[in-house]
Amino acid sequence: MSTFIKELLANHKKAMTAFPDNVLAKEFIDKFFDFLFIPHPQRKQAEFEMEREFESLKSYLSTLIYDVVADGDKTQAIANEFFNEVPKIYKMLLEDAQAVLNFDPAAKSIEEVLVAYPGFYATAVYRFSHQLYKSGVKILPRFFSEYAHSKTGIDIHPGATISNSFFIDHGTGIVIGETTKIGKNVKIYQGVTLGALSVSKDKAKTQRHPTIEDNVTIYSGATILGGETIIGHDSVIGGNVWLTNSVLPFSVVYHKSEVTIRDKNPLPEALNFVI
């Protein structure tokens, strides 16, 4: 056993990436989401209390960033950039929530979307993570996105580029790969995969995932693969479609299946032959 422990210790020392505290990372993302979207109905917060909480969250995130970059000046610069972008991210998320309210007949209010829609939560965590990803922090946003994945079943890589008014309906089973590009006013239903065709490791930095242009709707179970695949704007991709080629704008793509229904009365005669 001692040999194994020595091998394990040596491998830990060789690890090239520093990991943030998993529990603290989850705690931060929930606190930050609540700070932005979940008011405290039992007590009215004063402006100075919210400012103090904002600064506390900034300090919290700085600690997590420092754990992975181990550079004080760099940590401060990334944290400042993140919180400077928060008003812009917040505005985009309100547009995402409004898109859910506009297109889901079951949604009755913005507040309902904010507290009860897993697609909105996953989109929010994606937008926070994407900002850090753009600043060169890689492992921490992956922690955040995987936490959102575990809670919602929606897996959005922080490297994906998603424009505003993004609508996820239900959501479980959605996979959006690292180099996916998604335009404005796109609607995606459960079980959709925007993935890569099999590529070698040396092509990891190329666009491996599809581009979805503005005003596209993709229904449940559709799979769209490949970095050269472009879904033209204002198109509709039907349920269970499998696509590895581009489609022109204003296309309707659907999977044809046939279901036969017949009356079972009167009952068919019993089979009385044998092959």
Side-chain angles (χ1 to χ4, degrees):
M1 180 59 76
S2 61
T3 302
F4 170 68
I5 296 299
K6 285 178 182 175
E7 181 183 350
L8 199 60
L9 184 60
N11 284 338
H12 285 183
K13 288 180 177 177
K14 283 193 298 185
M16 300 295 290
T17 304
F19 297 103
D21 187 297
N22 194 21
V23 174
L24 294 180
K26 293 174 181 176
E27 190 175 278
F28 168 79
I29 210 68
D30 280 338
K31 282 180 177 291
F32 191 57
F33 181 88
D34 287 356
F35 174 75
L36 293 179
F37 299 111
I38 312 297
H40 302 287
Q42 287 79 19
R43 65 183 181 90
K44 291 186 177 178
Q45 278 186 304
E47 184 177 333
F48 79 90
E49 289 179 301
M50 293 200 71
E51 287 178 350
R52 189 169 59 191
E53 193 171 347
F54 190 75
E55 290 302 317
S56 173
L57 287 164
K58 191 172 180 178
S59 176
Y60 200 151
L61 181 62
S62 297
T63 302
L64 292 169
I65 295 171
Y66 185 80
D67 284 345
V68 294
V69 303
D71 182 314
D73 292 340
K74 192 173 179 182
T75 294
Q76 196 60 51
I78 293 170
N80 287 341
E81 186 178 7
F82 180 90
F83 281 92
N84 287 340
E85 290 295 314
V86 165
K88 190 186 297 182
I89 296 171
Y90 180 73
K91 183 173 180 292
M92 289 186 78
L93 285 167
L94 290 183
E95 292 180 28
D96 297 327
Q98 187 62 48
V100 177
L101 185 60
N102 291 345
F103 295 111
D104 185 350
K108 302 297 187 291
S109 68
I110 282 286
E111 290 74 19
E112 182 184 350
V113 174
L114 300 183
V115 303
Y117 274 66
F120 177 75
Y121 179 84
T123 303
V125 175
Y126 154 74
R127 296 209 185 280
F128 306 149
S129 304
H130 183 62
Q131 179 56 42
L132 289 173
Y133 186 91
K134 286 193 300 181
S135 298
V137 182
K138 304 300 182 187
I139 190 68
L140 182 58
R142 289 289 280 161
F143 266 56
F144 291 156
S145 61
E146 189 50 35
Y147 178 50
H149 181 199
S150 70
K151 289 183 71 171
T152 65
I154 299 166
D155 184 3
I156 308 177
H157 195 287
T161 303
I162 303 177
S163 193
N164 55 326
S165 297
F166 181 53
F167 168 44
I168 291 177
D169 192 17
H170 298 287
T172 298
I174 286 176
V175 178
I176 299 176
E178 181 181 13
T179 60
T180 304
K181 295 178 181 176
I182 297 178
K184 298 176 184 175
N185 307 315
V186 168
K187 298 193 282 289
I188 291 183
Y189 289 74
Q190 68 270 23
V192 167
T193 297
L194 304 179
L197 292 167
S198 179
V199 293
S200 57
K201 191 71 176 177
D202 62 321
K203 294 181 180 175
K205 292 185 178 178
T206 62
Q207 184 174 350
R208 313 182 309 280
H209 305 90
T211 296
I212 313 298
E213 294 186 340
D214 296 347
N215 308 315
V216 168
T217 298
I218 307 173
Y219 285 106
S220 60
T223 299
I224 302 171
L225 306 177
E228 296 181 357
T229 304
I230 299 173
I231 305 303
H233 62 83
D234 296 280
S235 292
V236 175
I237 309 300
N240 299 318
V241 163
W242 178 282
L243 267 178
T244 56
N245 295 305
S246 298
V247 300
L248 294 172
F250 298 102
S251 297
V252 176
V253 183
Y254 60 92
H255 172 77
K256 186 178 181 181
S257 62
E258 184 176 355
V259 177
T260 302
I261 302 174
R262 64 180 177 82
D263 190 344
K264 72 176 184 179
N265 293 312
L267 288 171
E269 292 183 4
L271 296 176
N272 57 1
F273 58 87
V274 175
I275 297 176

